[in-house]
Amino acid sequence: MQILSTPDAQSLAADLPPFLEIDRVSKIYPTPKGDAVVLDDISLTVNEGEFICVIGHSGCGKSTLLDMVSGFREPTRGEVRLQGKRVTRPGPDRMVVFQNYSLLPWKTAYENVYLAVNAVYPDKSKAEKTEIVRKHLTMVGLDEAANKKPGQLSGGMKQRVSIARALAIYPQVLVLDEPFGALDAITKEELQEELLKIWGQHTVTVLMITHDIDEALFLADRIVMMTNGPAANIGEIMEVPFSRPRDRAQMMEDPHYYTLRNQALDFLYGRFALADVE
Ligand SMILES: Nc1ncnc2c1ncn2[C@@H]1O[C@H](COP(=O)(O)OP(=O)(O)OP(=O)(O)O)[C@@H](O)[C@H]1O
């Protein structure tokens, strides 16, 4: 506040590009039956440090959209910019956590994280890299399991390793593609709380796909609700007004919670319900 009160600082802030911009992005896949327009003219601006959840029916193009932020796919039209710089390929400033963990099965939890840190920070000393790995495994509560391989870990523990690995790179943006979709309800709630704690400690902007409205309401600052494909777009953006740190029980006692929940349900199962498929 103080800093922005000087005219110079004000004009500096005004000159800065938005943190993350999805600017009139469309994605068209060529198919044997002709071009398939999956996403049509999507625009979204995300502030630094925001937590965004994206919801929408299966196949509407959520992964395609976030893949264009992570750089795994290129927009057919439009562009994604991070701090004014066009995204054209994956990079360590944007880390992704998938539902299926994608850990190397023959490496321990420690080694999985170390490999990523070593690949991005080859010039750091071994002691520094070890410190980063240890710190992030501790952060996700995995000190004890550091020397176990993925096959010896539960689904929740594997996802903790994936999150530690992504954050150990110190990305600016963390893309989470249904990270808790395969977990049981209790583990999922535990990991949601840990994710919020970690997000509070790191300066990281999160974009997360979920099918779970309660998860989105608990985690997000804004929920981006997508219309159905083909040619999907953003149908509505819901601001989630609950203060942080959030307390799940307290939130669920707030009548406003149910108003928002019903609004999201109405969007998905009323206005944008999927037609019955034969
Ligand atoms: N490489 C590709 N070529 C052609 N079509 C594709 C390709 N990749 C994805 N699609 C199609 O694009 C559409 C959107 O897929 P996408 O995986 O982005 O959806 P989604 O909303 O993430 O789905 P889900 O919630 O089931 O993961 C789907 O109809 C899918 O079949």
Side-chain angles (χ1 to χ4, degrees):
M1 290 269 264
Q2 285 273 323
I3 300 167
L4 288 180
S5 64
T6 66
D8 275 358
Q10 271 174 2
S11 56
L12 200 69
D15 286 346
L16 283 178
F19 179 69
L20 175 66
E21 287 174 284
I22 297 171
D23 187 8
R24 307 207 60 178
V25 158
S26 298
K27 184 69 183 175
I28 300 169
Y29 289 117
T31 73
K33 290 185 190 162
D35 283 352
V37 182
V38 173
L39 298 171
D40 185 28
D41 203 21
I42 295 205
S43 291
L44 177 71
T45 300
V46 179
N47 299 318
E48 184 164 23
E50 245 193 313
F51 199 126
I52 300 280
C53 280
V54 179
I55 61 174
H57 287 293
S58 186
C60 71
K62 303 179 291 298
S63 297
T64 300
L65 180 65
L66 294 203
D67 279 355
M68 292 189 287
V69 173
S70 29
F72 289 121
R73 302 186 210 212
E74 274 210 76
T76 312
R77 285 195 293 268
E79 61 184 47
V80 176
R81 291 184 292 273
L82 181 61
Q83 293 185 309
K85 199 164 163 260
R86 185 178 186 167
V87 168
T88 54
R89 64 175 84 91
D93 51 352
R94 286 155 287 123
M95 292 302 290
V96 187
V97 173
F98 297 102
Q99 182 176 345
N100 60 4
Y101 324 120
S102 53
L103 299 172
L104 298 174
W106 60 92
K107 298 279 183 194
T108 64
Y110 176 89
E111 289 164 342
N112 266 283
V113 181
Y114 190 92
L115 271 175
V117 173
N118 193 40
V120 177
Y121 300 112
D123 297 335
K124 283 195 190 292
S125 70
K126 186 152 190 238
E128 281 176 302
K129 288 182 273 199
T130 301
E131 167 63 21
I132 294 174
V133 177
R134 290 268 168 228
K135 179 180 154 187
H136 285 84
L137 285 174
T138 303
M139 193 173 67
V140 296
L142 280 186
D143 281 325
E144 312 264 299
N147 293 320
K148 292 192 172 162
K149 293 185 178 160
Q152 300 167 291
L153 301 174
S154 69
M157 289 161 103
K158 280 188 267 203
Q159 205 52 302
R160 285 187 165 93
V161 180
S162 305
I163 292 171
R165 181 179 57 180
L167 290 174
I169 304 305
Y170 292 101
Q172 290 180 291
V173 178
L174 181 64
V175 171
L176 303 168
D177 193 341
E178 275 196 80
F180 309 143
L183 305 177
D184 65 87
I186 295 172
T187 309
K188 190 171 166 173
E189 289 197 357
E190 278 173 11
L191 276 175
Q192 289 165 0
E193 310 220 347
E194 277 180 29
L195 177 61
L196 275 193
K197 215 162 64 189
I198 291 166
W199 171 72
Q201 292 161 1
H202 271 69
T203 312
V204 67
T205 304
V206 180
L207 296 179
M208 171 170 166
I209 297 174
T210 176
H211 282 106
D212 181 338
I213 291 170
D214 292 303
E215 177 167 274
L217 282 169
F218 181 57
L219 296 174
D221 293 313
R222 287 189 292 159
I223 304 176
V224 169
M225 295 189 271
M226 293 186 55
T227 63
N228 298 334
N233 205 309
I234 294 174
E236 200 173 311
I237 298 180
M238 179 183 283
E239 302 271 347
V240 183
F242 305 110
S243 60
R244 298 185 187 269
R246 288 184 180 163
D247 177 292
R248 198 188 302 268
Q250 220 170 38
M251 262 176 69
M252 292 175 98
E253 278 170 15
D254 188 331
H256 197 45
Y257 182 86
Y258 293 94
T259 310
L260 294 176
R261 192 173 191 277
N262 286 337
Q263 199 180 319
L265 284 171
D266 177 55
F267 179 90
L268 285 178
Y269 302 105
R271 286 189 287 146
F272 290 95
L274 283 183
D276 286 340
V277 182
E278 283 179 21

